Amino acid sequence: MTNKRVAVAGATGLVGHAALRHFASSPGSEVVALSRRKPGNLHGARHVAVDLTDAAQCVHAAAQLQGITHLVYAALYEAPNLVDGWRDESQIRTNDLMLRNLMAVLGLAAPSLRHVTLLQGTKAYGVHVRPLAVPAREGRSEMYEQPNFYWAQENFLRELQRGKAWHWSILRPVLIVGEAIGGAMDLIPPLGVYASMLREQGRPLDYPGGAARVAQAVDVDLLARAIGWAGEANAARNEVFNVTNGDVFSWENVWPAIAEALDMRPGAAVPLSLARTCPQWIAPWEELRRKYNLVSPGLEAFVGLSFQYADYSMRHGQTQPGPPSIVSTVKINRAGFTEMMDTEEMFRKWFRQARASRLLP
């Protein structure tokens, strides 16, 4: 018997696709996938094609959203210049509009709505503009004056919820690792392509990033389970939570685990901008796709903006050790979500999965 109807906005993205997988395995859940493109695997969900920037399309989709009880809002618009776009006014307006358009429709089509989960991240603590206070905690609001679409969406949702029967939760994951195609912030495709180029030449897996920094990551499946928990837990109602694997890492220290998962030897530190080098890999990637009968698409469609994100995450061009990027998960643990994962194992898991599913050679 279905007692939960979940709409996942941004179903083709890294988080959205993981949410589809999670709720597909949840008894009594019916899932609706919202995205412009149809996901490669719907995991039993029903797809509704909709561009959330278009209010008319959202209204047209209303009939297919009747009875929704839970919304997972993982939709995201990123500017072509990824990092600079995080403070761009047009990017902020677009993301604000997308949430407003969808909630306007759900307010009428889904009178049984019980919960909305909204995804943010460590840009809420200004990781993209300055060193974090360590550890970054949910109650600190010193970054609210910084331009960020998070605040536009959060303020809108808080105001909209007043007097309503439904509740919201905001989750702030750190660096998310999982499997997606064409995403803006997914490290498996860009690092996988880079590794494939080296392995085909018989070379070890050189480390292309800059100086070290202690940071955190989160497995996207663990994040999906946190989303499921937040939608049901009383302690998560109208609350904000950081989400991590529960440990810390530096790229240099996990690099041997990544090399192992790709059947390579870890190499030396050889700084390289993946975003600037990737045009040289377009033709070789096509050759690898044919040679290994890969299911992944051409380079641009496969990696999206994530070459830029890989350079940013691995601190390309930075020659001095960076300040630690650490958030506290005390709040979510005390509220009842206590899952953890070893970060080295997470990287092994996803690179092995990408090879097993023939996304990577």
Side-chain angles (χ1 to χ4, degrees), residues 82-84 86 122-123 126-130 132 175 184-185 187 207 209-211 213 251 272-275 305-318 325:
L82 181 69
V83 177
D84 289 345
W86 290 338
T122 51
K123 290 192 291 295
V127 70
H128 56 310
V129 296
R130 71 179 195 191
L132 295 190
L175 184 149
M185 292 183 288
L187 294 174
Y207 176 66
R213 177 175 68 176
W251 280 106
L272 180 74
S273 169
L274 304 187
L305 299 177
S306 290
F307 280 124
Q308 296 181 50
Y309 187 60
D311 281 354
Y312 168 81
S313 297
M314 294 191 295
R315 306 185 73 243
H316 171 73
Q318 301 296 317
S325 179

Side-chain angles (χ1 to χ4, degrees), residues 140-213:
R140 295 174 179 161
S141 59
E142 65 267 27
M143 290 306 299
Y144 279 108
E145 71 274 9
Q146 283 285 340
N148 194 326
F149 75 85
Y150 292 168
W151 313 141
Q153 291 183 334
E154 180 179 331
N155 292 338
F156 164 71
L157 201 61
R158 286 177 181 270
E159 184 64 30
L160 184 67
Q161 187 271 337
R162 287 177 183 165
K164 305 291 198 311
W166 55 270
H167 301 87
W168 51 261
S169 297
I170 294 174
L171 299 184
R172 292 177 179 166
V174 289
L175 184 149
I176 306 169
V177 177
E179 183 180 282
I181 292 177
M185 292 183 288
D186 181 16
L187 294 174
I188 300 301
L191 295 184
V193 169
Y194 165 70
S196 300
M197 296 298 147
L198 295 180
R199 188 173 59 230
E200 202 66 11
Q201 300 171 47
R203 295 169 55 187
L205 185 62
D206 294 332
Y207 176 66
R213 177 175 68 176

Side-chain angles (χ1 to χ4, degrees), residues 11-182:
T12 56
L14 181 60
V15 176
H17 194 234
L20 293 186
R21 291 196 302 270
H22 171 75
F23 287 108
S25 64
S26 300
S29 295
E30 177 185 316
V31 187
V32 177
L34 305 177
S35 57
R36 290 176 298 173
R37 296 177 290 109
K38 187 176 181 179
N41 188 339
L42 282 166
H43 301 280
R46 174 166 49 90
H47 182 242
V48 176
V50 60
D51 181 346
L52 297 180
T53 66
D54 188 327
Q57 285 194 34
C58 292
V59 171
H60 183 72
Q64 301 185 70
L65 298 176
Q66 293 182 3
I68 293 297
T69 59
H70 292 70
L71 170 64
V72 177
Y73 192 85
L76 179 63
Y77 165 76
E78 293 286 9
N81 193 332
L82 181 69
V83 177
D84 289 345
W86 290 338
R87 287 183 279 177
D88 182 76
E89 287 296 331
S90 64
Q91 192 249 28
I92 293 170
R93 287 194 300 271
T94 299
N95 280 288
D96 183 31
L97 177 67
M98 289 163 61
L99 179 61
R100 289 175 182 269
N101 284 344
L102 181 56
M103 291 305 298
V105 168
L106 280 182
L108 298 174
S112 299
L113 183 66
R114 302 203 301 261
H115 195 268
V116 175
T117 302
L118 180 67
L119 275 297
Q120 292 184 353
T122 51
K123 290 192 291 295
Y125 305 116
V127 70
H128 56 310
V129 296
R130 71 179 195 191
L132 295 190
V134 176
R137 299 185 187 278
E138 297 89 340
R140 295 174 179 161
S141 59
E142 65 267 27
M143 290 306 299
Y144 279 108
E145 71 274 9
Q146 283 285 340
N148 194 326
F149 75 85
Y150 292 168
W151 313 141
Q153 291 183 334
E154 180 179 331
N155 292 338
F156 164 71
L157 201 61
R158 286 177 181 270
E159 184 64 30
L160 184 67
Q161 187 271 337
R162 287 177 183 165
K164 305 291 198 311
W166 55 270
H167 301 87
W168 51 261
S169 297
I170 294 174
L171 299 184
R172 292 177 179 166
V174 289
L175 184 149
I176 306 169
V177 177
E179 183 180 282
I181 292 177

Side-chain angles (χ1 to χ4, degrees), residues 205-258:
L205 185 62
D206 294 332
Y207 176 66
R213 177 175 68 176
V214 176
Q216 293 169 299
V218 63
D219 180 276
V220 76
D221 287 337
L222 187 153
L223 176 58
R225 293 191 290 274
I227 290 170
W229 166 83
E232 303 300 330
N234 288 338
R237 291 182 173 185
N238 299 344
E239 295 289 348
V240 181
F241 298 105
N242 296 325
V243 189
T244 81
N245 277 350
D247 65 358
V248 299
F249 80 102
S250 68
W251 280 106
E252 293 85 348
N253 287 344
V254 299
W255 206 245
I258 293 173

